[in-house]
């Protein structure tokens, strides 16, 4: 749960921990082809990304002590959360030998004044 206008980090990591720098990381809602964030070829891709998430998302370790992608931490931060962000978010990580996915529900509280 996050308050309207705030930032939230949705946690996601590989288990067992492994280096995810060479993997594809896709965060999406209901449509796999319209990601909130896509990390491929060792960088965050600007396309295809849902327009409403441009400049609002980033890969962000779930803990300050995490080494991020090196340790398989593929958590996402969403800034300036709005009511339309409410709903299911899916973290999908894949390589030629491995894939994992996890879904969670983001709840936004607050109202427009």
């Amino acid at each position: 749960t996050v308050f309207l206008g705030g930032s939230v980090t949705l946690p996601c990591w590989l288990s067992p921990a492994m280096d995810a720098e060479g993997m594809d990381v896709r965060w999406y809602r209901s449509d796999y082809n319209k990601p909130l964030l896509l990390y491929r070829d060792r960088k965050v891709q600007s396309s295809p990304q849902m327009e409403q998430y441009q400049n609002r998302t980033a890969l962000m370790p779930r803990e300050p002590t995490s080494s991020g992608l090196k340790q398989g931490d593929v958590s996402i931060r969403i800034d300036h959360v709005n009511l339309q962000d409410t709903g299911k978010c899916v973290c999908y990580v894949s390589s030629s030998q491995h894939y994992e996915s996890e879904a969670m529900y983001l709840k936004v509280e607050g109202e427009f004044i």
Side-chain angles (χ1 to χ4, degrees), residues 8-14 19-28 35-46 49 53-64 66-79 90-94 104:
V8 65
T9 298
L10 302 178
C12 187
W13 60 91
L14 300 176
D19 188 345
E21 286 186 322
M23 297 182 177
D24 289 355
V25 177
R26 180 183 298 260
W27 278 90
Y28 66 95
L36 282 65
L37 181 139
L38 175 62
Y39 173 88
R40 178 179 283 156
D41 300 325
R42 299 185 179 268
K43 63 181 180 177
V44 173
Q45 305 292 314
S46 59
Q49 182 183 34
Y53 289 97
Q54 290 178 355
N55 303 313
R56 292 199 308 128
T57 59
L59 290 175
M60 182 64 60
R62 68 186 186 279
E63 299 172 357
S66 172
S67 295
L69 290 169
K70 278 258 188 239
Q71 289 184 322
D73 187 345
V74 295
S75 303
I76 187 176
R77 186 186 74 225
I78 304 172
D79 295 322
V90 179
C91 170
Y92 183 85
V93 183
S94 63
M104 60 206 72

Side-chain angles (χ1 to χ4, degrees), residues 2-5 81-83 108-113:
V2 64
F3 285 103
L4 182 67
V81 175
N82 59 58
L83 294 174
V108 179
E109 290 187 348
E111 57 187 60
F112 290 105
I113 297 175

Side-chain angles (χ1 to χ4, degrees), residues 85-100:
D85 294 330
T86 296
K88 184 172 90 168
C89 295
V90 179
C91 170
Y92 183 85
V93 183
S94 63
S95 71
S96 58
Q97 297 91 22
H98 182 84
Y99 75 92
E100 288 187 49

